[in-house]
mmCIF file of all heavy atoms in Angstrom:
data_model
loop_
_atom_site.group_PDB
_atom_site.id
_atom_site.type_symbol
_atom_site.label_atom_id
_atom_site.label_comp_id
_atom_site.label_asym_id
_atom_site.label_seq_id
_atom_site.Cartn_x
_atom_site.Cartn_y
_atom_site.Cartn_z
ATOM 1 N N CYS K 271 90.393 -120.540 108.986
ATOM 2 C CA CYS K 271 91.451 -119.940 109.776
ATOM 3 C C CYS K 271 91.758 -120.467 111.169
ATOM 4 O O CYS K 271 92.830 -120.743 111.514
ATOM 5 C CB CYS K 271 91.252 -118.368 109.941
ATOM 6 S SG CYS K 271 91.365 -117.574 108.366
ATOM 7 N N SER K 272 90.725 -120.934 111.832
ATOM 8 C CA SER K 272 90.719 -121.528 113.094
ATOM 9 C C SER K 272 91.547 -122.853 112.978
ATOM 10 O O SER K 272 92.421 -123.215 113.818
ATOM 11 C CB SER K 272 89.478 -121.749 113.803
ATOM 12 O OG SER K 272 88.927 -120.573 113.984
ATOM 13 N N THR K 273 91.188 -123.699 111.978
ATOM 14 C CA THR K 273 91.813 -124.891 111.695
ATOM 15 C C THR K 273 93.369 -124.715 111.452
ATOM 16 O O THR K 273 94.187 -125.492 112.030
ATOM 17 C CB THR K 273 91.239 -125.666 110.567
ATOM 18 O OG1 THR K 273 89.807 -125.892 110.750
ATOM 19 C CG2 THR K 273 91.838 -126.926 110.265
ATOM 20 N N LEU K 274 93.719 -123.749 110.550
ATOM 21 C CA LEU K 274 95.060 -123.494 110.212
ATOM 22 C C LEU K 274 95.718 -122.974 111.412
ATOM 23 O O LEU K 274 96.968 -123.372 111.573
ATOM 24 C CB LEU K 274 95.099 -122.427 109.132
ATOM 25 C CG LEU K 274 94.729 -122.886 107.782
ATOM 26 C CD1 LEU K 274 94.712 -121.721 106.663
ATOM 27 C CD2 LEU K 274 95.495 -124.100 107.197
ATOM 28 N N TYR K 275 95.213 -122.131 112.234
ATOM 29 C CA TYR K 275 95.849 -121.580 113.463
ATOM 30 C C TYR K 275 96.285 -122.836 114.441
ATOM 31 O O TYR K 275 97.339 -122.845 114.886
ATOM 32 C CB TYR K 275 95.021 -120.629 114.328
ATOM 33 C CG TYR K 275 94.924 -119.211 113.530
ATOM 34 C CD1 TYR K 275 93.903 -118.420 113.871
ATOM 35 C CD2 TYR K 275 95.879 -118.733 112.660
ATOM 36 C CE1 TYR K 275 93.725 -117.224 113.226
ATOM 37 C CE2 TYR K 275 95.830 -117.518 112.156
ATOM 38 C CZ TYR K 275 94.653 -116.752 112.373
ATOM 39 O OH TYR K 275 94.632 -115.591 111.829
ATOM 40 N N ILE K 276 95.307 -123.620 114.696
ATOM 41 C CA ILE K 276 95.586 -124.766 115.580
ATOM 42 C C ILE K 276 96.686 -125.665 115.093
ATOM 43 O O ILE K 276 97.505 -126.061 115.894
ATOM 44 C CB ILE K 276 94.146 -125.558 115.852
ATOM 45 C CG1 ILE K 276 93.265 -124.558 116.677
ATOM 46 C CG2 ILE K 276 94.508 -126.828 116.592
ATOM 47 C CD1 ILE K 276 91.915 -125.176 116.852
ATOM 48 N N LEU K 277 96.640 -125.908 113.710
ATOM 49 C CA LEU K 277 97.672 -126.906 113.101
ATOM 50 C C LEU K 277 98.966 -126.151 113.205
ATOM 51 O O LEU K 277 100.117 -126.917 113.617
ATOM 52 C CB LEU K 277 97.391 -127.142 111.807
ATOM 53 C CG LEU K 277 96.112 -128.175 111.493
ATOM 54 C CD1 LEU K 277 95.760 -128.274 109.952
ATOM 55 C CD2 LEU K 277 96.504 -129.533 111.935
ATOM 56 N N VAL K 278 99.045 -124.989 112.915
ATOM 57 C CA VAL K 278 100.430 -124.225 113.005
ATOM 58 C C VAL K 278 100.875 -124.149 114.364
ATOM 59 O O VAL K 278 102.134 -124.422 114.640
ATOM 60 C CB VAL K 278 100.277 -122.754 112.497
ATOM 61 C CG1 VAL K 278 101.537 -121.992 112.684
ATOM 62 C CG2 VAL K 278 100.129 -122.852 110.905
ATOM 63 N N ALA K 279 100.054 -123.925 115.353
ATOM 64 C CA ALA K 279 100.563 -123.916 116.753
ATOM 65 C C ALA K 279 100.885 -125.277 117.179
ATOM 66 O O ALA K 279 101.939 -125.393 117.954
ATOM 67 C CB ALA K 279 99.366 -123.480 117.621
ATOM 68 N N LEU K 280 100.259 -126.308 116.781
ATOM 69 C CA LEU K 280 100.768 -127.742 117.014
ATOM 70 C C LEU K 280 102.078 -128.062 116.579
ATOM 71 O O LEU K 280 102.905 -128.583 117.251
ATOM 72 C CB LEU K 280 99.553 -128.635 116.568
ATOM 73 C CG LEU K 280 99.789 -130.091 116.860
ATOM 74 C CD1 LEU K 280 99.697 -130.304 118.358
ATOM 75 C CD2 LEU K 280 98.784 -130.987 115.987
ATOM 76 N N PHE K 281 102.257 -127.687 115.239
ATOM 77 C CA PHE K 281 103.520 -128.141 114.642
ATOM 78 C C PHE K 281 104.696 -127.247 115.134
ATOM 79 O O PHE K 281 105.739 -127.563 115.309
ATOM 80 C CB PHE K 281 103.378 -127.851 113.209
ATOM 81 C CG PHE K 281 102.714 -128.985 112.407
ATOM 82 C CD1 PHE K 281 101.641 -129.438 112.706
ATOM 83 C CD2 PHE K 281 103.425 -129.760 111.344
ATOM 84 C CE1 PHE K 281 100.886 -130.683 112.074
ATOM 85 C CE2 PHE K 281 102.843 -130.651 110.682
ATOM 86 C CZ PHE K 281 101.584 -131.162 111.099
ATOM 87 N N LEU K 282 104.338 -125.868 115.291
ATOM 88 C CA LEU K 282 105.457 -125.022 115.796
ATOM 89 C C LEU K 282 106.003 -125.362 117.107
ATOM 90 O O LEU K 282 107.218 -125.451 117.359
ATOM 91 C CB LEU K 282 104.873 -123.591 115.817
ATOM 92 C CG LEU K 282 105.879 -122.380 116.245
ATOM 93 C CD1 LEU K 282 106.933 -122.329 115.109
ATOM 94 C CD2 LEU K 282 105.132 -121.072 116.171
ATOM 95 N N THR K 283 105.117 -125.725 118.073
ATOM 96 C CA THR K 283 105.530 -126.163 119.476
ATOM 97 C C THR K 283 106.124 -127.597 119.403
ATOM 98 O O THR K 283 106.703 -127.925 120.346
ATOM 99 C CB THR K 283 104.332 -126.007 120.504
ATOM 100 O OG1 THR K 283 103.131 -126.757 119.952
ATOM 101 C CG2 THR K 283 104.001 -124.570 120.649
ATOM 102 N N GLY K 284 105.772 -128.143 118.301
ATOM 103 C CA GLY K 284 106.348 -129.640 118.267
ATOM 104 C C GLY K 284 107.842 -129.689 117.650
ATOM 105 O O GLY K 284 108.540 -130.613 118.096
#
Side-chain angles (χ1 to χ4, degrees):
C271 291
S272 295
T273 302
L274 290 176
Y275 285 156
I276 290 172
L277 286 174
V278 169
L280 182 68
F281 279 55
L282 185 61
T283 55

